[in-house]
Amino acid sequence: MMMTGIRRLGLPFALAITWFAMTPAASRSQESRPQPEEARLRAEVKTLTSPALGGRRGEGGRKTAQHLVEVFRALKLEPLFDGRYTQAIPDGAPDRIIGHNVGARLVGSDPQLRDEWIILAAHFDHLGVREGQLYPGADDNASGVAMMLEVARAMAQSPEASKRSVMFIGFDLEEIGLYGSRYFVEHSPVPLKQISLFITADMIGRSLGGVCDPYVFVMGSEHAPGLRPWINQASQQQPVKVGMLGTDILILDRSDYGPFRAREIPYLFFSTGENPTYHTPDDRPETLNYPKLEAISQVIHKLVVQAASASKVPTWIQAPENTIEEVATVRDILRSLLENRETLKIGVAQLYLMNNTVRTLEAIVERGSITSSERATMVNVARLVLIAIL
Ligand SMILES: [Zn+2]
Protein backbone atom coordinates (compact mmCIF):
# COMPACT_ATOMS: atom_id res chain seq x y z
CA MET A 1 0.00 0.00 0.00
CA MET A 2 1.20 3.45 -0.84
CA MET A 3 2.29 5.78 1.98
CA THR A 4 0.11 8.81 2.73
CA GLY A 5 3.17 10.84 3.52
CA ILE A 6 1.86 11.67 6.97
CA ARG A 7 4.42 10.59 9.56
CA ARG A 8 3.02 8.07 11.90
CA LEU A 9 3.53 8.48 15.64
CA GLY A 10 5.04 5.70 17.74
CA LEU A 11 4.73 2.15 16.47
CA PRO A 12 4.13 -0.61 18.96
CA PHE A 13 5.96 -3.53 17.40
CA ALA A 14 5.26 -6.18 19.94
CA LEU A 15 1.60 -6.79 19.24
CA ALA A 16 0.64 -10.39 19.42
CA ILE A 17 -1.45 -11.78 16.63
CA THR A 18 -4.52 -13.61 17.68
CA TRP A 19 -4.76 -16.51 15.35
CA PHE A 20 -8.02 -17.16 13.71
CA ALA A 21 -10.35 -19.84 14.85
CA MET A 22 -9.95 -22.51 12.22
CA THR A 23 -12.99 -23.78 10.39
CA PRO A 24 -13.24 -27.54 10.66
CA ALA A 25 -11.51 -29.28 7.76
CA ALA A 26 -14.73 -31.09 6.88
CA SER A 27 -16.67 -27.92 6.08
CA ARG A 28 -13.85 -26.68 3.87
CA SER A 29 -13.57 -29.71 1.67
CA GLN A 30 -17.27 -29.82 0.75
CA GLU A 31 -16.82 -27.68 -2.34
CA SER A 32 -15.85 -29.74 -5.35
CA ARG A 33 -14.74 -26.74 -7.40
CA PRO A 34 -11.03 -25.94 -6.90
CA GLN A 35 -10.50 -23.05 -4.50
CA PRO A 36 -7.68 -21.12 -2.83
CA GLU A 37 -5.80 -23.24 -0.30
CA GLU A 38 -3.93 -22.17 2.81
CA ALA A 39 -0.80 -24.30 2.19
CA ARG A 40 -0.40 -22.88 -1.32
CA LEU A 41 -0.93 -19.30 -0.12
CA ARG A 42 1.72 -19.85 2.54
CA ALA A 43 4.18 -21.28 0.01
CA GLU A 44 3.61 -18.42 -2.43
CA VAL A 45 4.11 -15.76 0.27
CA LYS A 46 7.36 -17.52 1.22
CA THR A 47 8.59 -17.40 -2.39
CA LEU A 48 7.63 -13.75 -2.88
CA THR A 49 9.31 -12.62 0.36
CA SER A 50 12.51 -14.62 -0.14
CA PRO A 51 15.83 -12.73 -0.33
CA ALA A 52 16.16 -14.03 -3.92
CA LEU A 53 13.39 -11.60 -4.96
CA GLY A 54 15.12 -8.69 -3.20
CA GLY A 55 12.07 -6.99 -1.70
CA ARG A 56 10.52 -6.87 -5.20
CA ARG A 57 12.02 -3.62 -6.41
CA GLY A 58 14.63 -2.92 -9.12
CA GLU A 59 16.30 -6.19 -10.14
CA GLY A 60 14.12 -7.95 -7.53
CA GLY A 61 11.05 -6.46 -9.20
CA ARG A 62 12.14 -7.86 -12.58
CA LYS A 63 12.71 -11.29 -11.05
CA THR A 64 9.28 -11.16 -9.41
CA ALA A 65 7.65 -10.22 -12.72
CA GLN A 66 9.39 -13.23 -14.31
CA HIS A 67 8.15 -15.45 -11.49
CA LEU A 68 4.55 -14.34 -12.14
CA VAL A 69 5.00 -15.04 -15.86
CA GLU A 70 6.09 -18.59 -15.03
CA VAL A 71 3.12 -19.15 -12.72
CA PHE A 72 0.65 -17.92 -15.37
CA ARG A 73 2.34 -20.03 -18.04
CA ALA A 74 2.24 -23.15 -15.87
CA LEU A 75 -1.50 -22.57 -15.38
CA LYS A 76 -1.86 -22.42 -19.18
CA LEU A 77 -3.52 -19.01 -18.96
CA GLU A 78 -3.24 -16.92 -22.10
CA PRO A 79 -0.93 -13.88 -22.15
CA LEU A 80 -2.83 -10.61 -21.71
CA PHE A 81 -0.78 -8.13 -23.71
CA ASP A 82 -0.68 -8.92 -27.44
CA GLY A 83 0.82 -12.35 -26.99
CA ARG A 84 3.02 -11.32 -24.04
CA TYR A 85 2.51 -11.72 -20.30
CA THR A 86 4.33 -8.48 -19.55
CA GLN A 87 3.51 -4.84 -20.20
CA ALA A 88 6.61 -2.65 -20.08
CA ILE A 89 6.14 0.63 -18.21
CA PRO A 90 8.24 3.45 -19.66
CA ASP A 91 9.28 6.53 -17.71
CA GLY A 92 8.85 9.48 -20.06
CA ALA A 93 11.09 8.27 -22.88
CA PRO A 94 9.68 5.04 -24.37
CA ASP A 95 13.11 3.36 -24.27
CA ARG A 96 13.51 3.89 -20.53
CA ILE A 97 11.61 0.98 -18.98
CA ILE A 98 11.13 1.25 -15.21
CA GLY A 99 8.92 -1.75 -14.52
CA HIS A 100 6.51 -4.36 -15.85
CA ASN A 101 2.88 -5.21 -15.20
CA VAL A 102 2.23 -8.93 -15.60
CA GLY A 103 -1.12 -10.21 -16.83
CA ALA A 104 -2.95 -13.29 -18.02
CA ARG A 105 -6.46 -13.90 -19.24
CA LEU A 106 -9.17 -16.52 -19.18
CA VAL A 107 -11.51 -15.91 -22.09
CA GLY A 108 -15.21 -16.38 -21.31
CA SER A 109 -17.35 -19.10 -22.84
CA ASP A 110 -20.43 -17.02 -23.67
CA PRO A 111 -20.30 -15.43 -27.16
CA GLN A 112 -22.43 -12.48 -25.92
CA LEU A 113 -20.64 -11.87 -22.63
CA ARG A 114 -17.02 -12.73 -23.38
CA ASP A 115 -16.24 -9.14 -24.43
CA GLU A 116 -17.05 -8.03 -20.87
CA TRP A 117 -14.10 -8.30 -18.48
CA ILE A 118 -13.63 -8.80 -14.76
CA ILE A 119 -10.18 -7.83 -13.46
CA LEU A 120 -8.56 -9.33 -10.38
CA ALA A 121 -5.31 -7.53 -9.54
CA ALA A 122 -2.70 -7.14 -6.81
CA HIS A 123 0.49 -5.10 -6.81
CA PHE A 124 3.63 -7.20 -6.49
CA ASP A 125 6.27 -4.51 -5.97
CA HIS A 126 7.55 -3.52 -2.54
CA LEU A 127 10.35 -1.44 -1.04
CA GLY A 128 13.42 -3.49 -2.00
CA VAL A 129 16.59 -3.53 0.09
CA ARG A 130 17.53 -0.38 2.01
CA GLU A 131 20.84 0.06 3.84
CA GLY A 132 21.42 -3.66 3.56
CA GLN A 133 18.01 -4.49 5.07
CA LEU A 134 15.55 -6.63 3.14
CA TYR A 135 11.97 -5.35 3.17
CA PRO A 136 10.09 -8.61 2.60
CA GLY A 137 6.60 -7.05 2.32
CA ALA A 138 4.72 -10.18 3.37
CA ASP A 139 1.46 -8.41 4.11
CA ASP A 140 2.25 -5.56 1.65
CA ASN A 141 1.56 -7.16 -0.76
CA ALA A 142 2.75 -10.75 -1.04
CA SER A 143 -0.56 -11.57 0.67
CA GLY A 144 -2.60 -10.01 -2.14
CA VAL A 145 -0.46 -11.51 -4.92
CA ALA A 146 -0.71 -14.99 -3.38
CA MET A 147 -4.50 -14.56 -3.28
CA MET A 148 -4.61 -13.40 -6.93
CA LEU A 149 -2.50 -16.37 -8.09
CA GLU A 150 -4.58 -18.84 -6.09
CA VAL A 151 -7.83 -17.49 -7.55
CA ALA A 152 -6.22 -17.68 -11.01
CA ARG A 153 -5.27 -21.32 -10.37
CA ALA A 154 -8.71 -22.21 -9.02
CA MET A 155 -10.41 -20.67 -12.05
CA ALA A 156 -7.94 -22.06 -14.59
CA GLN A 157 -8.43 -25.56 -13.18
CA SER A 158 -12.20 -25.32 -12.80
CA PRO A 159 -14.25 -27.67 -14.99
CA GLU A 160 -16.88 -24.91 -15.31
CA ALA A 161 -15.89 -22.07 -17.62
CA SER A 162 -17.05 -18.53 -16.81
CA LYS A 163 -19.28 -16.64 -19.21
CA ARG A 164 -17.38 -13.36 -19.00
CA SER A 165 -13.64 -13.05 -19.52
CA VAL A 166 -11.30 -12.54 -16.58
CA MET A 167 -7.90 -10.82 -16.38
CA PHE A 168 -5.42 -11.61 -13.62
CA ILE A 169 -2.88 -8.83 -13.16
CA GLY A 170 0.16 -8.22 -10.99
CA PHE A 171 0.79 -4.46 -11.00
CA ASP A 172 4.30 -3.11 -10.64
CA LEU A 173 5.39 0.24 -9.15
CA GLU A 174 2.39 0.75 -6.89
CA GLU A 175 4.55 1.92 -4.01
CA ILE A 176 5.96 4.86 -5.95
CA GLY A 177 2.53 6.28 -6.84
CA LEU A 178 0.31 3.66 -8.54
CA TYR A 179 2.48 3.84 -11.69
CA GLY A 180 1.66 0.34 -12.91
CA SER A 181 -2.12 0.63 -12.62
CA ARG A 182 -2.12 4.17 -14.02
CA TYR A 183 -0.14 3.04 -17.03
CA PHE A 184 -2.47 0.08 -17.45
CA VAL A 185 -5.65 2.18 -17.67
CA GLU A 186 -3.97 4.41 -20.24
CA HIS A 187 -2.85 1.38 -22.28
CA SER A 188 -5.51 -1.21 -21.55
CA PRO A 189 -5.56 -4.30 -23.79
CA VAL A 190 -9.35 -3.88 -24.06
CA PRO A 191 -11.48 -0.70 -24.22
CA LEU A 192 -12.14 0.51 -20.67
CA LYS A 193 -15.91 0.45 -21.24
CA GLN A 194 -15.64 -3.33 -21.58
CA ILE A 195 -14.31 -3.63 -18.01
CA SER A 196 -17.33 -4.49 -15.84
CA LEU A 197 -15.59 -4.80 -12.49
CA PHE A 198 -12.12 -4.25 -11.03
CA ILE A 199 -11.19 -6.06 -7.82
CA THR A 200 -7.92 -5.57 -5.99
CA ALA A 201 -6.47 -6.49 -2.62
CA ASP A 202 -3.58 -4.82 -0.84
CA MET A 203 -2.50 -6.15 2.57
CA ILE A 204 -4.94 -8.94 3.44
CA GLY A 205 -2.80 -11.05 5.78
CA ARG A 206 -3.02 -9.35 9.17
CA SER A 207 -5.36 -6.88 10.88
CA LEU A 208 -5.90 -3.18 11.36
CA GLY A 209 -3.58 -1.90 14.08
CA GLY A 210 -2.73 -5.54 14.79
CA VAL A 211 -5.98 -5.71 16.78
CA CYS A 212 -9.08 -5.85 14.51
CA ASP A 213 -8.69 -9.59 13.95
CA PRO A 214 -12.13 -10.61 12.72
CA TYR A 215 -12.24 -8.01 9.96
CA VAL A 216 -11.31 -7.58 6.36
CA PHE A 217 -12.52 -4.28 4.96
CA VAL A 218 -13.87 -3.72 1.49
CA MET A 219 -14.22 -0.31 -0.05
CA GLY A 220 -15.97 0.67 -3.28
CA SER A 221 -19.40 -0.93 -2.87
CA GLU A 222 -20.80 2.59 -2.31
CA HIS A 223 -20.44 3.16 -6.08
CA ALA A 224 -22.01 -0.19 -7.05
CA PRO A 225 -24.38 -1.16 -4.21
CA GLY A 226 -25.67 -4.08 -6.27
CA LEU A 227 -22.40 -5.84 -5.36
CA ARG A 228 -23.32 -5.95 -1.66
CA PRO A 229 -25.56 -9.04 -1.76
CA TRP A 230 -22.77 -10.83 -3.67
CA ILE A 231 -20.21 -9.84 -1.04
CA ASN A 232 -22.50 -11.02 1.75
CA GLN A 233 -23.20 -14.28 0.00
CA ALA A 234 -19.53 -14.92 -0.77
CA SER A 235 -18.54 -14.38 2.87
CA GLN A 236 -21.22 -16.57 4.42
CA GLN A 237 -19.75 -19.45 6.46
CA GLN A 238 -16.27 -17.95 6.30
CA PRO A 239 -14.43 -17.19 9.56
CA VAL A 240 -13.93 -13.57 8.57
CA LYS A 241 -16.16 -10.49 8.85
CA VAL A 242 -16.32 -8.37 5.72
CA GLY A 243 -16.75 -4.74 6.79
CA MET A 244 -17.96 -2.54 3.93
CA LEU A 245 -16.65 0.99 4.19
CA GLY A 246 -16.87 4.06 1.99
CA THR A 247 -13.56 4.65 0.20
CA ASP A 248 -13.49 8.21 1.60
CA ILE A 249 -12.44 6.75 4.98
CA LEU A 250 -9.00 6.69 3.35
CA ILE A 251 -7.33 9.99 2.55
CA LEU A 252 -6.14 9.87 -1.11
CA ASP A 253 -6.13 6.78 -3.31
CA ARG A 254 -4.08 4.31 -1.32
CA SER A 255 -3.87 1.49 -3.83
CA ASP A 256 -4.46 0.42 -7.44
CA TYR A 257 -8.22 0.96 -7.38
CA GLY A 258 -7.48 4.71 -7.79
CA PRO A 259 -7.12 4.92 -11.59
CA PHE A 260 -10.22 2.70 -12.06
CA ARG A 261 -12.27 4.79 -9.61
CA ALA A 262 -11.25 7.92 -11.52
CA ARG A 263 -12.68 6.36 -14.69
CA GLU A 264 -15.92 5.34 -12.97
CA ILE A 265 -15.33 1.62 -13.36
CA PRO A 266 -17.00 -0.32 -10.52
CA TYR A 267 -14.29 -1.47 -8.13
CA LEU A 268 -13.78 -3.28 -4.85
CA PHE A 269 -10.70 -2.81 -2.72
CA PHE A 270 -10.01 -5.43 -0.03
CA SER A 271 -7.60 -4.77 2.83
CA THR A 272 -7.17 -5.87 6.43
CA GLY A 273 -5.64 -2.43 7.04
CA GLU A 274 -2.33 -1.09 8.26
CA ASN A 275 -0.63 -2.95 11.08
CA PRO A 276 2.43 -2.02 13.17
CA THR A 277 4.89 -3.67 10.74
CA TYR A 278 3.64 -1.59 7.78
CA HIS A 279 6.61 -0.56 5.60
CA THR A 280 9.19 -1.95 8.01
CA PRO A 281 11.62 -4.89 7.64
CA ASP A 282 9.39 -6.71 10.17
CA ASP A 283 6.62 -7.29 7.60
CA ARG A 284 7.67 -10.96 7.47
CA PRO A 285 5.91 -14.11 6.24
CA GLU A 286 5.74 -15.69 9.71
CA THR A 287 3.61 -12.79 10.99
CA LEU A 288 0.68 -13.45 8.62
CA ASN A 289 -2.56 -15.07 9.66
CA TYR A 290 -2.84 -17.75 6.95
CA PRO A 291 -6.26 -19.16 7.88
CA LYS A 292 -7.60 -15.60 7.57
CA LEU A 293 -5.78 -15.10 4.25
CA GLU A 294 -7.34 -18.32 3.00
CA ALA A 295 -10.83 -17.20 4.08
CA ILE A 296 -10.44 -13.82 2.34
CA SER A 297 -9.07 -15.50 -0.81
CA GLN A 298 -12.07 -17.80 -0.92
CA VAL A 299 -14.45 -14.86 -0.52
CA ILE A 300 -12.78 -13.03 -3.41
CA HIS A 301 -12.73 -16.21 -5.51
CA LYS A 302 -16.50 -16.63 -5.06
CA LEU A 303 -17.06 -12.99 -5.96
CA VAL A 304 -15.00 -13.20 -9.14
CA VAL A 305 -16.79 -16.40 -10.20
CA GLN A 306 -20.16 -14.75 -9.48
CA ALA A 307 -19.27 -11.60 -11.42
CA ALA A 308 -17.90 -13.63 -14.32
CA SER A 309 -21.09 -15.65 -14.70
CA ALA A 310 -24.01 -13.47 -13.56
CA SER A 311 -26.44 -12.30 -16.22
CA LYS A 312 -25.65 -8.67 -15.28
CA VAL A 313 -22.90 -6.96 -13.27
CA PRO A 314 -24.00 -3.97 -11.14
CA THR A 315 -23.05 -0.70 -12.78
CA TRP A 316 -21.47 2.50 -11.45
CA ILE A 317 -23.54 5.04 -9.55
CA GLN A 318 -22.07 8.51 -9.18
CA ALA A 319 -23.39 9.56 -5.77
CA PRO A 320 -21.99 7.15 -3.16
CA GLU A 321 -24.62 5.15 -1.29
CA ASN A 322 -23.44 4.32 2.21
CA THR A 323 -25.10 2.00 4.71
CA ILE A 324 -25.83 1.76 8.41
CA GLU A 325 -23.63 -1.37 8.50
CA GLU A 326 -20.71 0.93 7.77
CA VAL A 327 -21.45 2.81 11.00
CA ALA A 328 -21.50 -0.47 12.93
CA THR A 329 -18.15 -1.41 11.38
CA VAL A 330 -16.52 1.90 12.36
CA ARG A 331 -17.98 1.49 15.87
CA ASP A 332 -16.42 -2.02 16.07
CA ILE A 333 -13.05 -0.72 14.87
CA LEU A 334 -13.04 2.03 17.51
CA ARG A 335 -14.05 -0.46 20.20
CA SER A 336 -11.22 -2.86 19.25
CA LEU A 337 -8.70 -0.04 19.28
CA LEU A 338 -9.99 1.16 22.67
CA GLU A 339 -9.74 -2.33 24.12
CA ASN A 340 -6.06 -2.27 23.18
CA ARG A 341 -5.43 1.33 24.22
CA GLU A 342 -2.33 0.51 26.25
CA THR A 343 -0.45 -1.39 23.55
CA LEU A 344 -1.56 1.18 20.97
CA LYS A 345 -0.52 4.03 23.29
CA ILE A 346 -3.77 5.92 22.89
CA GLY A 347 -3.49 9.29 24.63
CA VAL A 348 -6.06 10.96 26.86
CA ALA A 349 -7.39 13.33 24.20
CA GLN A 350 -7.78 10.52 21.67
CA LEU A 351 -9.43 8.35 24.31
CA TYR A 352 -12.00 11.05 25.00
CA LEU A 353 -12.76 11.58 21.32
CA MET A 354 -12.99 7.85 20.60
CA ASN A 355 -15.24 7.09 23.59
CA ASN A 356 -17.58 9.92 22.64
CA THR A 357 -17.67 8.79 19.04
CA VAL A 358 -18.45 5.19 20.02
CA ARG A 359 -21.42 6.41 22.08
CA THR A 360 -22.68 8.59 19.20
CA LEU A 361 -22.31 5.74 16.70
CA GLU A 362 -24.14 3.36 19.03
CA ALA A 363 -27.09 5.77 19.08
CA ILE A 364 -26.99 6.10 15.28
CA VAL A 365 -26.96 2.32 14.78
CA GLU A 366 -29.89 2.04 17.18
CA ARG A 367 -31.82 4.69 15.24
CA GLY A 368 -31.00 2.87 11.99
CA SER A 369 -30.08 5.87 9.83
CA ILE A 370 -27.29 8.41 9.54
CA THR A 371 -27.47 12.01 8.27
CA SER A 372 -24.86 13.27 5.84
CA SER A 373 -23.37 15.64 8.41
CA GLU A 374 -23.14 12.84 11.00
CA ARG A 375 -21.38 10.70 8.42
CA ALA A 376 -18.95 13.50 7.56
CA THR A 377 -18.06 13.76 11.26
CA MET A 378 -17.64 9.97 11.53
CA VAL A 379 -15.32 9.91 8.52
CA ASN A 380 -13.24 12.76 9.93
CA VAL A 381 -12.90 11.07 13.32
CA ALA A 382 -12.01 7.73 11.69
CA ARG A 383 -9.31 9.44 9.59
CA LEU A 384 -7.89 11.25 12.61
CA VAL A 385 -7.83 8.11 14.71
CA LEU A 386 -6.20 6.05 11.97
CA ILE A 387 -3.51 8.68 11.38
CA ALA A 388 -2.80 9.10 15.08
CA ILE A 389 -2.67 5.42 15.95
CA LEU A 390 -1.15 3.72 12.93
ZN1 LIG B 1 2.99 -0.45 0.62
Side-chain angles (χ1 to χ4, degrees):
M1 191 174 312
M2 194 173 64
M3 275 275 218
T4 44
I6 299 159
R7 292 304 285 178
R8 287 163 294 141
L9 307 177
L11 292 178
F13 285 94
L15 286 173
I17 294 173
T18 310
W19 291 88
F20 243 57
M22 303 269 291
T23 26
S27 78
R28 292 184 188 196
S29 56
Q30 279 167 8
E31 296 247 337
S32 58
R33 199 195 269 272
Q35 56 178 336
E37 290 172 21
E38 183 186 330
R40 289 173 181 273
L41 292 161
R42 192 185 284 269
E44 186 56 44
V45 169
K46 196 174 171 201
T47 302
L48 291 165
T49 54
S50 68
L53 295 186
R56 307 188 299 283
R57 176 170 285 195
E59 185 53 31
R62 282 186 285 280
K63 285 183 184 162
T64 310
Q66 194 48 43
H67 166 68
L68 296 192
V69 168
E70 282 155 23
V71 175
F72 286 145
R73 192 174 281 140
L75 290 172
K76 299 192 167 62
L77 287 165
E78 291 175 22
L80 181 57
F81 306 105
D82 262 335
R84 300 179 66 93
Y85 288 104
T86 54
Q87 178 182 48
I89 306 164
D91 178 22
D95 53 347
R96 232 194 100 203
I97 301 304
I98 53 169
H100 293 86
N101 293 327
V102 185
R105 62 182 198 181
L106 196 57
V107 175
S109 60
D110 186 300
Q112 256 89 57
L113 295 179
R114 66 160 57 119
D115 287 337
E116 295 178 21
W117 292 81
I118 309 299
I119 300 181
L120 180 62
H123 83 82
F124 66 80
D125 64 304
H126 192 56
L127 306 178
V129 176
R130 297 174 172 188
E131 293 168 7
Q133 273 270 23
L134 175 74
Y135 284 68
D139 192 30
D140 185 8
N141 186 27
S143 62
V145 176
M147 174 283 294
M148 183 271 291
L149 294 177
E150 267 298 273
V151 173
R153 181 189 63 81
M155 293 189 74
Q157 295 176 351
S158 172
E160 282 166 73
S162 300
K163 293 177 184 162
R164 283 187 189 74
S165 299
V166 183
M167 293 180 199
F168 301 99
I169 307 174
F171 284 126
D172 199 356
L173 307 177
E174 187 267 356
E175 299 286 6
I176 62 167
L178 319 180
Y179 268 43
S181 51
R182 283 199 220 173
Y183 186 79
F184 178 90
V185 296
E186 284 158 16
H187 302 86
S188 171
V190 303
L192 294 181
K193 63 176 182 299
Q194 291 180 20
I195 299 172
S196 304
L197 177 62
F198 173 81
I199 301 179
T200 193
D202 195 353
M203 304 177 22
I204 49 169
R206 290 196 46 167
S207 69
L208 179 66
V211 299
C212 296
D213 291 302
Y215 272 109
V216 61
F217 305 105
V218 60
M219 282 143 272
S221 71
E222 71 274 20
H223 285 296
L227 293 169
R228 287 181 179 141
W230 292 4
I231 296 168
N232 286 330
Q233 209 192 356
S235 53
Q236 259 173 24
Q237 295 172 344
Q238 288 287 0
V240 66
K241 265 192 188 171
V242 181
M244 299 183 217
L245 299 174
T247 315
D248 57 350
I249 291 261
L250 301 173
I251 305 166
L252 306 176
D253 285 330
R254 295 293 306 280
S255 193
D256 292 318
Y257 62 88
F260 294 85
R261 186 185 63 78
R263 282 168 173 78
E264 303 184 353
I265 294 167
Y267 66 92
L268 292 175
F269 167 45
F270 285 84
S271 182
T272 46
E274 273 183 45
N275 69 77
T277 69
Y278 172 72
H279 281 201
T280 75
D282 292 327
D283 183 6
R284 297 176 191 284
E286 62 271 23
T287 66
L288 298 198
N289 180 338
Y290 290 96
K292 184 176 180 181
L293 176 58
E294 181 191 60
I296 297 166
S297 302
Q298 292 184 358
V299 169
I300 295 174
H301 174 225
K302 284 208 177 76
L303 259 177
V304 175
V305 169
Q306 170 97 42
S309 284
S311 56
K312 251 184 93 62
V313 178
T315 49
W316 177 270
I317 60 161
Q318 190 54 42
E321 200 178 294
N322 295 291
T323 64
I324 198 72
E325 285 77 24
E326 180 193 38
V327 183
T329 301
V330 174
R331 176 203 61 197
D332 286 356
I333 294 171
L334 293 177
R335 278 183 184 159
S336 302
L337 297 174
L338 282 167
E339 280 165 18
N340 294 278
R341 58 182 167 271
E342 268 142 47
T343 25
L344 292 169
K345 300 192 173 75
I346 295 176
V348 180
Q350 290 165 6
L351 193 65
Y352 178 78
L353 173 70
M354 289 166 73
N355 272 321
N356 267 338
T357 306
V358 167
R359 274 195 293 276
T360 308
L361 298 184
E362 277 165 354
I364 290 169
V365 170
E366 187 128 324
R367 194 207 307 152
S369 65
I370 186 165
T371 66
S372 56
S373 80
E374 283 170 338
R375 188 175 178 278
T377 306
M378 176 183 81
V379 168
N380 282 332
V381 171
R383 287 172 166 189
L384 271 175
V385 166
L386 294 181
I387 289 166
I389 287 175
L390 298 174

